Structure formats: structure tokens, C-alpha cells
Amino acid sequence: MTLTDLRRLLPAACIGLAACSSDPSAPPPNNPFKPNQSSERELRLEAEGLYKLARRALESSDFAGAIQRYDQIAARYPFTDYATQADLESIYAKYRSFDPDGAISTADRFLKEHPRHPAVDYVYYLKGLTNFERGESAFDWIVDSTKQDVGFARKAFDDFALMIQRYPASRYAGDARQRMIYLRNRIAGHELHVVHYYVRRGAWLAAAKRAERIVSDYPGSPATMEALELMKKSYQEIGLKQQAEEVEAVLKANPKSAAAPAPRPAQAGAAAAPPAMPAS
């Protein structure tokens, strides 16, 4: 074929290509640079197979293996039901593998991306459990835990309170309330140590203010009556006679009773794994 013949054929070839590209009913050509083109059904089967492996690892307490597979599901099959379920179960796996930072960050991301998911109450509950156990120690039965930092206890209290406020009928609400009572008593006990600190140094105004906070923020805690006693003494020391008499009246109306502290709730593993995703 001569050069002249090629020049004659070129316009016809271009017209043919343009016609093909403008035909809306024509199937798209296969991309030669993507040889592994799978159908939607094939992708779902692949995701389901990987999810089953992850769930099997979770149920056998191989939390590291489960987390690895959940990450693979999220990366390979985003925007699918399997990716959402993987994120949910990953929170539990990180909680059980003592990765509190990972559990909290994954939970926060899940709540942001799936605010109407049916398991949102469970995610709030897991957040509370994670912070609850971060603030606990294996030696709490030996030492007075109220003298230790209560930052995580406050966070756990807020997590449980938010869950109960938004989902009062949740199956986790009962356990969350019991933990809130325990946390309330622990935080109030910590505040009482601060009041004693101010009293020992003669900082009566600061002691009175801190005791007032215990009475107002943690009513019903075993520390309340002692906080009232210290409040009365602080008012007397700074010359606030009327306020001291008012506190005395409250003390007389509420005779001292040996309030039993709330029992320490169960620690690790308190929550069960979320229900598995049903097979398709």
C-alpha cells in the first residue's frame, strides 16, 4: 500500500472512530491497563469471603488478624455494607486488643460517617467502656483509686451519659447507668481529696467552693455528707455564719448514714461483639 492510499483511508477511519465514540448504545471498550475487571457480584463475593475470614478471626480472639482484614475490606471495597460492618467490628477488636486510642478514633469516625446506623448506641457504649478501662488499674483493689487521675473517668461518664440521653431504651443503658454511679462516686471521692488538701493549708474559701461542687454535681455519692461537713467548717473559718447555719440545717435534715459505695463493675470484655453481618 502506497502513502497515497493511506492518506485516502485515514479520513474514513477517523469518521468511523468518531461514529463509534458518539454512539451512546455502544458498550465501553475494555481498558487494557485494568486486566482484572470484576463484576459487581464478583466484588461482593470477594468482600464477603474476606469478611468471613475477619469475623472468624474476631470470634477466635485473634484481634490483630481481624483488624488487618477489616482494614483490607475498607480499602478494597469502600462504600459497601461490608466496609461499614468492618468499621463497626474493628472498634470492638481494637477495644479488646487494648488499643484505646485506635478504638476511640475509629468510633468517632464511625459516628461521624454513620450517624443513623442502628448500632450507634453500641458505639457510644464501647467508647464509654474504653475510657472506663483506661482509667482503671489492676491495683485499684489495693490502693485508693480516688487519689488517682480521674480524667478518663470523666470522659467515660460523659460517654455513658450521652448514650443514655439519646438512647434511653438501649439494651446497654442498664449497665451504663451502673457504671455511671460507680464513676460518680469515684470522681466525687477524688474531689473530696482536693477539699482536704485546701483545708490542710487553710485555704478555706477554695475548700468551700470545691465542697459546693461535690454537693451540686455528685448528689447521692458517699462523699456528699463529708463535703457538707467541710463546707460548714470552711464557712465558719471565713466568717460566713449564715451560710454555715444553712449547711448545718441540711446536715440535721439528712442524718449520717453509712452509704455503701457502688460495686466496681466488670472490666475487660464486658461488651459482646456486634452481631455478624448476615450472609448474602
Side-chain angles (χ1 to χ4, degrees):
M1 182 179 293
T2 65
L3 183 59
T4 302
D5 294 332
L6 285 174
R7 288 175 178 173
R8 291 174 181 172
L9 291 174
L10 184 59
C14 292
I15 293 172
L17 287 173
C20 291
S21 62
S22 62
D23 184 2
S25 62
N30 288 332
N31 188 341
F33 298 102
K34 295 179 66 176
N36 296 324
Q37 293 184 339
S38 302
S39 67
E40 183 176 345
R41 183 175 182 279
E42 289 172 333
L43 289 173
R44 185 170 183 81
L45 288 174
E46 291 172 7
E48 183 178 6
L50 187 55
Y51 169 74
K52 288 180 178 178
L53 291 175
R55 184 70 191 196
R56 196 174 303 140
L58 183 75
E59 292 174 351
S60 62
S61 298
D62 178 14
F63 301 118
I67 293 169
Q68 181 181 9
R69 290 177 174 86
Y70 289 139
D71 290 343
Q72 291 173 352
I73 293 171
R76 296 180 187 176
Y77 315 103
F79 314 114
T80 64
D81 293 342
Y82 289 103
T84 302
Q85 184 71 14
D87 287 341
L88 176 62
E89 295 185 16
S90 183
I91 302 169
Y92 176 78
K94 291 173 182 177
Y95 155 70
R96 290 298 307 275
S97 62
F98 305 103
D99 178 13
D101 291 332
I104 294 294
S105 63
T106 305
D108 286 338
R109 187 177 68 250
F110 186 93
L111 293 171
K112 182 178 179 181
E113 296 177 354
H114 312 285
R116 298 182 181 179
H117 193 278
V120 164
D121 62 329
Y122 175 77
V123 176
Y124 277 118
Y125 178 64
L126 276 185
K127 280 190 67 177
L129 281 181
T130 302
N131 281 319
F132 180 89
E133 293 173 15
R134 290 176 95 174
E136 295 289 286
S137 168
F139 302 100
D140 282 351
W141 63 280
I142 300 175
V143 299
D144 184 359
S145 62
T146 60
K147 293 183 179 180
Q148 302 172 9
D149 181 72
V150 292
F152 289 123
R154 295 183 192 276
K155 289 183 178 180
F157 187 93
D158 292 341
D159 291 331
F160 290 134
L162 184 60
M163 191 272 287
I164 292 174
Q165 178 185 1
R166 294 186 178 181
Y167 307 96
S170 169
R171 59 182 293 190
Y172 309 104
D175 184 72
R177 288 190 181 94
Q178 293 301 313
R179 292 178 186 277
M180 286 180 68
I181 294 172
Y182 171 81
L183 291 166
R184 177 204 65 184
N185 294 349
R186 182 179 174 188
I187 297 169
H190 178 81
E191 291 292 311
L192 191 61
H193 285 299
V194 178
V195 176
H196 279 291
Y197 173 83
Y198 287 135
V199 167
R200 288 195 300 269
R201 281 154 180 76
W204 302 110
L205 182 59
K209 293 293 184 183
R210 206 68 177 237
E212 289 173 3
R213 185 186 301 177
I214 295 174
V215 175
S216 62
D217 293 353
Y218 311 106
S221 68
T224 302
M225 298 306 294
E226 188 174 352
L228 285 168
E229 293 280 2
L230 294 173
M231 190 192 306
K232 183 185 75 170
K233 179 177 178 60
S234 300
Y235 285 150
Q236 291 171 339
E237 291 291 339
I238 56 182
L240 297 177
K241 183 178 178 181
Q242 181 180 347
Q243 287 85 342
E245 290 174 352
E246 291 173 355
V247 175
E248 177 66 22
V250 174
L251 286 168
K252 288 181 178 179
N254 297 273
K256 278 189 176 181
S257 59
R264 183 169 177 268
Q267 225 173 319
M277 187 171 179
S280 58

